[in-house]
Each structure stands twice: as structure tokens, then as C-alpha cells.
Amino acid sequence: MKIGVLGAGQLGRMLALAGYPLANRFTFLDTTGHPSAGIGNVMIDTDQRHLESFLANVDLVTYEFEHLPVPLVQAIEAERPVYPSSEAIRICQNRAEEKALFDRLAIPTPAYRLVDSAEGLEAAARELGTPVVAKSVTEGYDGKGQAVLRDPADAADAWRSINHPRLIVESFVDFVREVSIIAVRGREGDVAFYPMAENIHVDGILRYSLAPMPDLDEAVQQRADGYIRALLDELDYVGVLTLELFQCADGSLLANEMAPRVHNSGHWTMDGAVTSQFENHLRAIQGLPLGETRARAPTCMVNVIGREPDPAAVLAIANAHLHRYDKSERAGRKLAHINLVADSHAELLDKVRACAALVPDAPAPEFSFEGTSGES
Ligand SMILES: Nc1ncnc2c1ncn2[C@@H]1O[C@H](COP(=O)(O)OP(=O)(O)OP(=O)(O)O)[C@@H](O)[C@H]1O
Ligand SMILES: [Mg+2]
């Protein structure tokens, strides 16, 4: 099976690495002019002139990046199967569409308003009560295109700094922790759910993901499974879908956003689950049976951002797995991740601290369950 991937970053690279054992071949279509996949056949197409040769090289198409022109994906869809569909891209690339879908499926979200002026932003901040987070409705990632307003009077500055014609304004959630649920749906509608991960973000960028959580109530996992299943079924979705959530003190979950693809908070599955998110995405889109999603052991993913650690020092940690993306160092850039696997959560936390000491600029790893009796 010859697989076409829209986007050519590290997610595409890891899809290809998972697909070679299945005898898949990969052609990447990069629309940015800066591909980093470093693997497979990479076509740079910033002006949409190479679509025909891309299509001639592929049997089916998937993507690792959702900020793509919808008409381009629709044009591809007319020629080849695209999984997940262009409709998933259309919704997931726009926070207003995404929230409307959550509302329609009764998936709770932070209170929000849509605004298209600085005055509207100020009024929304007043109505919702500060603090609020304002986000551009399209194009955001890694916390870009966002501002926190502590006071409605911050609206003019926030509007200017985001510099986008339409914003979504959300109540700032006082969460206990950030979590995500990743699930995969096959072509026949079969679904498998990964154990939820706890995610630590600093300045809007993911730094740590840990799964399974030692103190997660089974009822909370089931609630998340229900939410993501509703999304998968509604979109008649094929492939891996990610839903980022805030977990509140009473155990309730508020949906933050979703991503129609493999996700950074699922990288732990490469070494910590029976089947990785990348392999399961490829199985799903090819109509193959889905693999088991169970965690093999407590696992933590540590992101490497901006500067790389000494690989030898990282690999000296027992059961540490280094995944480098073969990119050059640049502030804020995701360069690699490290998966740490342990027999217990206590041992895992020791490894995470040891690893954080090696990773340049790694923030202190502080998980919600530390010091609670939930540790096993
Ligand atoms: N309503 C909110 N309340 C509290 N914190 C928030 C809220 N919205 C966003 N954040 C914080 O900012 C981070 C980034 O926000 P969000 O996930 O919306 O942005 P993004 O730029 O699309 O990120 P990603 O890299 O996941 O695509 C969240 O993970 C969370 O830490
Ligand atoms: Mg996010």
C-alpha cells in the first residue's frame, strides 16, 4: 500500500517508521517549503502544482497536519480515499466549528464567546468574568495566537497581539490537570481507546505526557471514551483522533480542543502500549484490524524543545527510549522526545526527574497525583 501524507514533519516521520514493517511506502506532500520528515519520498509543493504526480504515487491519503486548505483536501478526496475525511479537517482547523460540534454532541466545554473586534473581546471578558483566554479561531498551535486577559481592560492589547479577525474567548479553567484521550476508529466503525494521559504544558507547549494515570477513576476514563466515541461516530471518522480535556476537581471533564491525527500526547504509546498510535492509525486507514491499545507499563514522554540533550546520557537511563526527529536546534522547536518506561509510578517519577535534569530548559515535572496514595 502506497500512502500519501499531507504534511512532512515529525508526525509524518513517525507514521512512516511505523509503516515500514507493514510494507507501506510513503510520499509526503509538504505545502510549507520546510519539510523535516527526512524519510520517504518528500514532494515540496508550495504552489499546488505537483498534485498530479503526488496522486500518481499514492493509493490513499492521510495527513499529519490539519491547517491545510480544505479545497485542496477535497480535490484530493475526489481522486483518492482520504482518511480522516476533509470534513474532519474543516471542523478541527476552526475552533468555532469544533466548539459547535462539542455543543451539538453535549460534550461539555469551558464557557465561550466568539468575537470579531476589540470591543467585542472586552464585552465577552466582562460577561464571562476574568481571567479569560482569547484564541484565534484558526491557525493556532503550541499556544500561538492566544492571550490571557486578567481584566476586560486588557482587551485592546490582547486584540492587537493576536492580530486575527475572529477570536474565541473562553473562561479560564481552574483545572486539576490537563488530560487527553486518544482513540482509533477503523473503516468498519470498530473503535479502540487508549488509556488517558496526563499532560503538562508550559507556556502553551506540551512538555510531559504520562499514562496510565495511577489515580484515574475508571468512570472518568469511560466518560472520556463516550465523548470521543460520539465525535468519531458523528464524523464517520477513520484513523486516530485526539481530544484534549481539562479535568476539574469534581472529576468532570471539559473539552479543550481536538486534533484529527496522531498527537504529541500519544507518543508514549510507541514504547508504553501494545500498539502505538502510529501503527494503529495506519491499520485503521488501510482497513486492517486495530491493535490492542492497553498500556504495557507506566510510561512518561518527555519532550525535547529548542535544544537537545546528550543522547548517551539519556540512553543510560534504564528503559529510556530516545526518538529524535533529525531537525536543527531552534528556540521553541520540537526536536525529539524521550519515552521512559518503569515498573511502578514511583520508579517512573524518579526516572522523569533524572531525565529532566538532562534535557535543556526542561521545566520541573509536577504531576497531579504526586504525593497522593494513588501511586503504585
Ligand atoms: N480555557 C482555558 N483554561 C485554562 N487553560 C487553558 C485554556 N485554554 C488553553 N489553556 C492552556 O493553553 C494550552 C494551549 O491551548 P490550546 O490547546 O487551545 O492551544 P493550541 O495552541 O492549539 O495547542 P496545541 O499545541 O495543543 O495545538 C492548553 O493546553 C492549556 O494549558
Ligand atoms: Mg492544545
Side-chain angles (χ1 to χ4, degrees), residues 29-49:
L29 188 73
D30 171 78
T31 56
T32 67
H34 308 282
S36 67
I39 195 171
N41 174 21
V42 179
M43 298 180 56
I44 298 182
D45 193 14
T46 49
D47 47 11
Q48 296 186 24
R49 288 192 313 174

Side-chain angles (χ1 to χ4, degrees), residues 201 244 256-257:
H201 295 86
E244 297 179 15
N256 174 29
E257 60 168 354

Side-chain angles (χ1 to χ4, degrees), residues 170-336:
E170 304 172 6
S171 291
F172 196 89
V173 179
D174 182 22
F175 50 77
V176 172
R177 59 186 169 199
E178 290 193 68
V179 295
S180 56
I181 172 86
I182 295 180
V184 55
R185 187 171 182 272
R187 286 203 210 168
E188 307 301 322
D190 38 328
V191 177
F193 307 93
Y194 283 97
M196 291 168 76
E198 172 168 350
N199 302 320
I200 299 181
H201 295 86
V202 176
D203 297 332
I205 303 190
L206 184 67
R207 302 306 301 235
Y208 301 98
S209 284
L210 182 148
M213 288 175 265
D215 61 344
L216 187 73
D217 204 337
E218 182 54 30
V220 176
Q221 173 85 41
Q222 282 173 10
R223 194 173 304 135
D225 290 356
Y227 294 159
I228 200 164
R229 180 185 279 279
L231 292 163
L232 290 166
D233 289 344
E234 174 71 16
L235 295 169
D236 194 17
Y237 193 96
V238 176
V240 164
L241 177 70
T242 306
L243 177 61
E244 297 179 15
L245 301 146
F246 302 117
Q247 187 177 351
C248 304
D250 62 359
S252 64
L253 297 171
L254 297 175
N256 174 29
E257 60 168 354
M258 59 179 176
R261 52 172 167 78
V262 289
H263 194 259
N264 198 169
S265 71
H267 290 358
W268 69 271
T269 64
M270 295 170 87
D271 299 290
V274 176
T275 313
S276 80
Q277 62 168 348
F278 300 98
E279 180 179 338
N280 254 336
H281 183 73
L282 294 170
R283 288 186 184 216
I285 65 176
Q286 293 175 86
L288 296 168
L290 303 180
E292 262 194 74
T293 47
R294 195 162 44 81
R296 289 182 191 276
T299 306
C300 183
M301 190 273 328
V302 179
N303 259 349
V304 172
I305 295 174
R307 287 192 295 144
E308 298 213 57
D310 171 12
V314 169
L315 293 172
I317 300 173
N319 219 341
H321 304 274
L322 176 59
H323 300 268
R324 298 176 70 188
Y325 311 152
D326 202 5
K327 288 178 172 177
S328 53
E329 296 187 331
R330 195 202 306 145
R333 198 175 198 206
K334 289 178 177 171
L335 302 173

